Amino acid sequence: MMNLFSIFDPMSSIFHLSLNWMSSLLGLMFLPQIFWYIMPRSSMILFNISKMIHNEMKTLMGTSYNYGSTLIFLSLFIFIFFNNFLGLFPYIFTSTSHLTFTLSMALPLWLSFIMFGWLKNTNHMFAHLVPQNTPPILMPFMVLIETVSNMIRAMTLSVRLTANMIAGHLLMTLLSSLGVSISTSYIMVLLMIQIMLLLLESAVAIIQSYVFMVLSTLYYSEVN
């Protein structure tokens, strides 16, 4: 309790090497063995999830769908999901709880979509600033609102993921610090609350990676 946010500090090191960011690569250890002759159950689960997400992204993209265009969003979903889920294990650094990590994923995507839209579909981007059936007197305000909305998309994507990761972990840290100060009769109650919070954080890990992927897909379909 001396420093409540020390669990989010990426500067802690072992042998003068900052190893916390290496937790982002631990998800590669859970990838299935692609050289097995018979597909194991773990591979079947990952394959079915990928196929379901691929079909849903095709629906979201609509006419802007091209072969292979869902691969980057599917890879992004799996990468964020593994990082969110691994952060629930003890002594593993949660990289998605840092704005530098999430912004490094959201900013290149947003910038590439904006550049592609204004260079290739300029008329469509201008028309998108004014929604259909907008009264003439409100058009200048709608252009301003839509411009600001487009400019902060990268920040909202990254802040949403970071805030949700920090909030759950911080609440679990606060509750765990009560274990040394409460009586033994309340330890089981505290333990049950921690288990329920852990299950909730597992759901949040999946939902936030799914939200990040869906919003990125919608931004792509808007400019294409």
Side-chain angles (χ1 to χ4, degrees), residues 10 13 23 28 31-32 50 82 84 93 135 139 149 158 165 187 190 193 200:
S13 59
S23 64
L28 299 176
L31 292 178
S50 303
F82 274 124
N84 292 347
F93 175 65
M139 285 183 180
S149 171
S158 54
M165 289 297 105
I187 291 294
L190 181 62
I193 295 176
L200 178 63

Side-chain angles (χ1 to χ4, degrees), residues 8 21 25 29 35 52-53 61 73 94 97 107 110 132 151 165 170 178 180 185-186 221-222:
F8 304 108
W21 292 109
L25 303 177
M29 299 173 58
F35 296 107
M52 179 185 65
I53 295 175
M61 291 181 180
F73 302 108
T94 310
S97 65
L107 188 60
W110 171 82
Q132 193 175 4
M151 294 299 293
M165 289 297 105
L170 196 59
L178 297 175
V180 296
S185 58
Y186 292 103
S221 61
E222 281 185 6

